[in-house]
């Protein structure tokens, strides 16, 4: 098993534009050349966008350059996660969200989830 780590920092207003975070639907038949070209353009835009996709698994369709790190072991991946959470905690909306004990619990839970093959995503 290997684990890819992604990270996105940005404005909530952009994050809330769900259409940009959604993989476009393939056009339904009959499909014109223009329909296909528009679809391919939208897929390419989705793949290059750093915005997190609505579904965690769709990160795998994104450009490989967006992978921040790759790990073989869940503990290594969640150590990275812990460092990321700690580094960005001062920007969290509340002191409760940035609480060190809370962040430690998130990392512990993430380690267990990854060990069982479950995706982990925090926002």
């Amino acid at each position: 098993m290997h684990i890819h780590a992604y990270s996105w920092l940005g404005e909530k207003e952009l994050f809330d534009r769900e259409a940009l975070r959604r993989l476009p639907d393939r056009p339904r038949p009959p499909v014109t050349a223009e329909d296909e070209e528009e679809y391919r353009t939208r897929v390419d835009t989705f793949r290059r966008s750093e915005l997190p996709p609505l579904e965690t698994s769709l990160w795998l369709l994104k450009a490989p350059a967006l992978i921040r790190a790759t790990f073989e072991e869940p503990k290594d991946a969640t150590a990275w996660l812990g460092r990321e959470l700690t580094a960005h905690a001062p920007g969290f909306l509340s002191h409760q969200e940035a609480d060190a004990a809370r962040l430690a619990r998130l990392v512990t839970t993430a380690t267990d989830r990854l060990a069982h093959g479950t995706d982990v995503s925090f926002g």
Side-chain angles (χ1 to χ4, degrees), residues 23-88:
L23 185 64
D25 292 330
R26 184 167 275 292
R28 297 179 190 262
V31 178
T32 65
E34 292 82 16
D35 293 338
E36 186 63 25
E37 181 63 28
E38 179 182 340
Y39 170 73
R40 289 176 188 263
T41 299
R42 291 178 66 212
V43 167
D44 185 55
T45 300
F46 173 83
R47 288 180 51 102
R48 288 183 290 108
S49 169
E50 291 187 8
L51 279 170
L54 289 177
E55 298 175 42
T56 303
S57 64
L58 293 180
W59 273 112
L60 297 174
L61 296 180
K62 297 281 193 165
L66 297 177
I67 299 170
R68 303 296 187 237
T70 300
F71 306 95
E72 299 297 323
E73 296 296 328
K75 285 193 178 238
D76 296 333
T78 55
W80 175 87
L81 175 63
R83 289 189 300 275
E84 289 290 300
L85 290 170
T86 300
H88 298 295

